[in-house]
Amino acid sequence: MDREEKDFMLEKIMIEYGNELVRLAFSYVKDAEAAKDIVQNTFIKCYKKLDSFRFDAQIKTWLYRITINECKDYLKSWHYKMVQVKSFINETAKSILPSTEKAVIDKFNNGEIKDTIFSLPKVYREIIYLYYYDSLTTGEIAEVLDIPVNTVKTRLRRAKQRLEPLIREAELNGR
């Protein structure tokens, strides 16, 4: 099969089965963007193996098998597991954080205090973000930023001190 035939065949396959495969992938991964990426990988594998496809089986079942295997690989992947763990940690952390810190996160998510946090110097802003929104420990933040743990703790404390009056003012204005 020459390149033009292969390209034409793949285009035909993509048009005919693309939406079905995205729905199939979505039923596994429950994420629209991940499902589209998985189907894209399916079509790449299809293109690479199209020459060896024997047409003993239906192309549809072959594509389904590739898609399902891609979904299973994705669900076993480190990236997927980390997304799940971070989501769980964020939800747990939000439910057990002291009320002032929880209020800051809620207001940030609602956009009310985002400008206040972004008005902080970068060194404080990044610490606040990594600590509260990515739920990293001070040790993990130190590793990410390549600074000592005590520096992280100092910056976190100073950022909280700078935010406290601003948060109180925002709360008073919000009432």
Side-chain angles (χ1 to χ4, degrees):
M1 183 179 305
D2 71 9
R3 190 163 190 256
E4 282 185 30
E5 289 175 320
K6 206 172 170 182
D7 290 350
F8 177 75
M9 189 165 207
L10 180 67
E11 185 178 346
K12 191 173 162 186
I13 289 169
M14 289 171 69
I15 291 168
E16 189 169 344
Y17 299 109
N19 290 334
E20 270 181 70
L21 295 176
V22 170
R23 282 192 300 273
L24 173 66
F26 183 80
S27 73
Y28 274 82
V29 299
K30 306 293 188 247
D31 181 302
E33 293 307 310
K36 290 175 188 174
D37 290 343
I38 287 167
V39 172
Q40 188 173 35
N41 290 342
T42 297
F43 287 135
I44 290 169
K45 285 187 177 182
C46 172
Y47 186 79
K48 288 179 179 177
K49 302 287 184 179
L50 210 49
D51 290 331
S52 64
F53 184 69
R54 296 183 312 258
F55 294 95
D56 293 343
Q58 287 187 358
I59 198 143
K60 180 178 179 177
T61 56
W62 182 56
L63 292 170
Y64 268 54
R65 178 57 34 215
I66 295 171
T67 303
I68 290 169
N69 287 337
E70 286 289 313
C71 289
K72 288 179 179 179
D73 288 347
Y74 174 78
L75 293 172
K76 286 188 263 181
S77 73
W78 179 86
H79 170 75
Y80 175 76
K81 288 178 182 174
M82 289 309 297
V83 167
Q84 297 302 325
V85 167
K86 280 186 176 182
S87 174
F88 173 75
I89 289 171
N90 284 338
E91 292 305 313
T92 303
K94 285 180 184 178
S95 68
I96 61 173
L97 284 175
S99 60
T100 303
E101 292 172 351
K102 184 171 178 0
V104 171
I105 289 173
D106 290 344
K107 288 183 184 228
F108 182 87
N109 288 337
N110 292 333
E112 294 174 23
I113 201 144
K114 197 179 285 186
D115 291 338
T116 305
I117 291 173
F118 285 127
S119 71
L120 290 174
K122 181 182 172 242
V123 293
Y124 300 134
R125 189 173 56 231
E126 65 189 1
I127 297 289
I128 291 289
Y129 183 84
L130 293 170
Y131 188 78
Y132 289 109
Y133 302 102
D134 280 347
S135 299
L136 298 181
T137 65
T138 53
E140 291 169 328
I141 295 169
E143 193 175 316
V144 167
L145 298 177
D146 196 27
I147 58 176
V149 174
N150 285 337
T151 303
V152 172
K153 290 177 182 177
T154 301
R155 288 181 184 175
L156 185 59
R157 183 177 43 28
R158 289 179 181 167
K160 286 179 184 180
Q161 288 170 345
R162 287 181 176 219
L163 281 174
E164 193 173 343
L166 300 171
I167 293 166
R168 284 198 184 115
E169 183 181 322
E171 285 177 343
L172 291 173
N173 293 337
R175 288 185 184 160

